[in-house]
Every structure is written in C-alpha cells, then in structure tokens.
Amino acid sequence: MTPGAARWVTLDELRARRSFKWHAQPPDVLPAFIAEMDVTLAPAVARSLVEAVERGDTGYAFPDPELGTAASGFQGERFGWNPDPSGISLIPDVMSGIGAVLRRALPEGGGVVVNTPVYPPFFDHIAAAGCRVVEAPLARDGSGYALDLDAVEAALRGGARAYLLCNPHNPTGLVHSAAELRRVAGLAERHGALVLSDEIHAPLTLAGARHLPYLSLPEARGRGISLISATKGWNLPGLKCAQLVTASEPMRALAASLSPELRFGASNLGVIASIAAYREGGAWLDELLVLIDRNRRLLGDLLAERLPEIGYTPPRATYLAWLDCSALRLGDDPARVFLERGRVALRSGPDFGRSGAGWVRATMATAPETLREIVERMRRAVDAAR
Ligand SMILES: Cc1ncc(COP(=O)(O)O)c(C=O)c1O
C-alpha cells in the first residue's frame, strides 16, 4: 500500500476518536448514522494541521484570499469551471451560510422549496431563519428518484421565494444534469426566486457521474449562490470552514450585506486544512472515491445476500445509502428497530420528510468488514423482530 494512501480505519482505532459519531451512542452500538467517514486523513491535510498546531496557530480564522484561489482551482480542475476567487467568501459551515442568506434575502415566512426526502437540518435551518419549508418531493423513477421540476415550478408559482437545491442530493446520491440545472435557472428567472445550491458533496461524485456546478451556467448567476466546502470530501466537518460562492453583482451585493461577524464562526485550522485539501489533496480524493465506489457495490451484494427485501439504488455521489425497508414491515421508523434489536445506529427515514417513512440512511464510508457487520446487525434485528 502506498504510504499515506486513503485507507479505512479499524473499529479499535475509531473507538479512540473523540468525535460525536463515536460518543453519541453506547459502546455496543455500531454507528453509521452521521455523514462522517471512517478514513485516515489525507497526508497533505494532516501535515498542514500538524504544522499549524506546532506554530500555535490556533487564533481566530483569517479570511485568507488563498482559500478562494484554492477553492476555485479545485472547482476548475474537477468540474471545469473556475469561479472568480473574489466572489468566494469564508463561512463557518454550509448550514450557517444558508441560514444567513435566507435571513437577509427573504421576508418573514418566505417559502423555501426543498426536494424531499432531503438532508434533515434543512427543515430546522429554514425555520430558524424565519422562513417556511415548501416540499417539492422527488419523483420516483423506477427503483430510484429524479428531480420533479414541475413540482418545483408549482411551488414557485405558488409564491415560494427561494429554492434550496441539494446538488448532489443527500440522501439519494442524485447528481443533477445540465438540462435540469438549466431549467432551474429558467424557473428562478421567471419567478424571481433565489437559488441556493448546496454543493458540499460535489467532491464525492463517483465514477460514472459528472457534477456540474450550478453557477457554471451563466444563466444561473444572477439569482444563484452556491455553498461549497472541503469538509465532506476530506472528512473535516468539525474544523468549521465552508465557502459561499457568488458570480454576479446582485449576488455579490447580497453576500457583502451578510454580517461580517459570520466568518468568526469559522476556524483557522479549517481554513488551513481546506487550502491544503483543495491544493494538494486531489490524488488522495481519487483513492478515496475508488474505495467508496467499491463499497457502494459491496453494499448491494451484501443486501442481496442477507436482506434482499431492502430496496437500494447505489448513489451516483456521496457515501450515503438510502434504503427502502418498507417491505420488512418494521413500521415508519425502521432505524429504531435496527438500533434496539441490532445495535446499529442508522439515520431515521422520517427525519428526511414524510416520504422517508419506512426508510433509513446508512453511511457506508467505512471498512468492508465494518459494512458487513452493519448489514449483519440489520439482519439480526429483522430476525429478532419476527
Ligand atoms: C447536503 C448537506 N448540506 C450541508 C451539510 C452540513 O454541512 P456543514 O457542516 O458545513 O453545515 C451536510 C452534512 O452532511 C449535507 O449533507
């Protein structure tokens, strides 16, 4: 194995970690509920952090212009579009950026469209910004899902003021096409709506799919803002660093009107690690994507063998598996049964919206043997519930 190559970490090593994932549950529970990876750090990222700590560089975050340059360079290399670095600003994390923009741009009670089932904190952060969630559920497309842009259009026609697009989509792993994104931009123009494109999972676009940054479409820029971050791709969510991207004067003015205090929620170590990830972490990310690709196939094999009643469409991006457990008849919230009877913690489907009843989300960024153990525990829970 290449020294420093991306590698999954053993359960013994993981139990020594101090993060939420490894302490939120009793020690006999195997956690696979949160979007965090069981992986080693990219060597370039680790080096940047060790050097920063050795310098004692733990002060407040500096909105380093190099962050914008590095983020833009990465976007250009991976996705073929270099945003102007002067339109990239530091925010502590994606969700606080979304909240700050909604608070500033929408009136009290303004409707925000989301495509359910969707990342649960969207609901709370929209409400905390004084806005209202308007669901435009994804359409079922065979065993998988597709964006239902007719439903989005109906919501905007009905008065919703913004569209929070999850691109790629959590929990389904959908990667939106150029034609879909073009239509979104057209709808935003026609209805005067703001589009917030959450692209946090873009670095985790897997073989066979291609991520298109929303703002790479010129027609999207006048009413679009995107939120990007290195924290999912390189597993740095606790380091608090994300970026808000604008590419037009009106959106730049909106970003400039946000409180300058916002950036002080970011961490200096996050800025330093993100610059290292974007600049020097590309080869490591490629290795990681190979490991995740293997796992999305392995999970399909394991489910076919041990729990064939579960519906699973491998994600095109992310390391998340959105699992239809309704045929198992474990009720609306199968995650409770899996936890109580199998001692494996998955994320409850109903948290993702009404259509999540009967589903669970599993994180599969883990060692193959751990993935096997997750499925075994689910099997055990099903047997115990019968
Ligand atoms: C779609 C999506 N957006 C935002 C976040 C949270 O990002 P942050 O920690 O930067 O707020 C996540 C985390 O899993 C996510 O999946």
Side-chain angles (χ1 to χ4, degrees):
M1 194 190 301
T2 327
R7 136 181 112 69
W8 300 124
V9 178
T10 64
L11 278 176
D12 281 346
E13 292 171 288
L14 290 165
R15 296 266 178 214
R17 285 187 175 178
R18 305 273 297 270
S19 67
F20 183 70
K21 176 171 184 178
W22 296 99
H23 289 270
Q25 309 282 346
D28 67 322
V29 170
L30 184 55
F33 64 100
I34 199 167
E36 203 177 294
M37 295 191 277
D38 299 346
V39 75
T40 48
L41 268 190
V45 171
R47 213 177 311 118
S48 76
L49 288 169
V50 168
E51 286 170 8
V53 168
E54 283 173 355
R55 281 196 303 274
D57 206 351
T58 49
Y60 290 113
F62 170 58
D64 192 335
E66 284 198 28
L67 178 62
T69 316
S72 172
F74 174 75
Q75 293 271 316
E77 266 166 40
R78 287 270 148 167
F79 312 130
W81 180 61
N82 286 94
D84 179 345
S86 70
I88 302 180
S89 50
L90 172 64
I91 50 175
D93 49 45
V94 164
M95 292 317 302
S96 61
I98 290 170
V101 172
L102 291 178
R103 230 173 261 120
R104 171 66 66 193
L106 261 65
E108 185 70 26
V112 181
V113 184
V114 296
N115 303 118
T116 47
V118 80
Y119 178 57
F122 278 9
F123 300 105
D124 290 343
H125 285 260
I126 290 170
C131 299
R132 182 173 46 88
V133 172
V134 180
E135 289 193 36
L138 294 174
R140 293 308 302 273
D141 175 14
S143 63
Y145 286 91
L147 266 189
D148 182 351
L149 291 176
D150 292 340
V152 173
E153 179 161 25
L156 295 176
R157 210 180 311 113
R161 307 289 291 263
Y163 178 21
L164 175 49
L165 175 72
C166 197
N167 174 37
H169 186 269
N170 172 358
T172 62
L174 277 182
V175 175
H176 309 310
S177 70
E180 287 170 320
L181 297 180
R182 252 184 227 116
R183 184 161 169 216
V184 169
L187 292 177
E189 274 306 314
R190 196 164 327 128
H191 298 282
L194 177 68
V195 176
L196 295 178
S197 183
D198 174 345
E199 304 189 355
I200 195 168
H201 288 283
L204 297 166
T205 303
L206 300 170
R210 188 168 157 68
H211 166 76
L212 189 70
Y214 180 62
L215 296 182
S216 68
L217 301 175
E219 62 269 43
R221 295 175 192 161
R223 296 182 178 278
I225 287 182
S226 62
L227 293 304
I228 60 172
S229 179
T231 56
K232 286 291 147 197
W234 285 270
N235 206 36
L236 312 168
L239 290 185
K240 293 294 155 200
C241 176
Q243 303 88 51
L244 187 149
V245 188
T246 62
S248 69
E249 269 321 308
M251 293 298 103
R252 197 184 276 256
L254 173 54
S257 74
L258 302 180
S259 165
E261 288 301 314
L262 181 62
R263 75 166 80 112
F264 286 107
S267 93
N268 204 34
L269 294 179
V271 173
I272 289 166
S274 299
I275 293 172
Y278 285 141
R279 288 240 164 100
E280 303 166 65
W284 181 91
L285 181 63
D286 286 335
E287 294 161 4
L288 173 74
L289 295 179
V290 170
L291 298 181
I292 297 173
D293 181 35
R294 277 186 207 145
N295 275 8
R296 71 175 163 165
R297 276 180 280 129
L298 173 62
L299 181 62
D301 294 344
L302 292 170
L303 290 173
E305 189 188 320
R306 302 293 290 146
L307 284 162
E309 305 91 334
I310 290 185
Y312 164 65
T313 301
R316 306 191 71 218
T318 82
Y319 45 72
L320 304 167
W322 181 235
L323 304 175
D324 180 0
C325 303
S326 47
L328 292 171
R329 304 194 177 284
L330 300 175
D332 281 355
D333 189 7
R336 270 181 47 190
V337 181
F338 290 129
L339 179 62
E340 282 163 17
R341 311 253 180 161
R343 311 308 283 159
V344 57
L346 307 173
R347 185 83 201 233
S348 289
D351 291 353
F352 295 76
R354 279 187 298 271
S355 57
W359 294 66
V360 298
R361 191 195 70 181
T363 298
M364 54 174 162
T366 193
E369 54 276 19
T370 309
L371 197 53
R372 226 168 254 124
E373 177 65 16
I374 289 169
V375 173
E376 270 324 299
R377 288 181 182 222
M378 291 170 73
R379 175 75 252 171
R380 229 176 288 151
V382 171
D383 293 340
R386 289 214 163 120

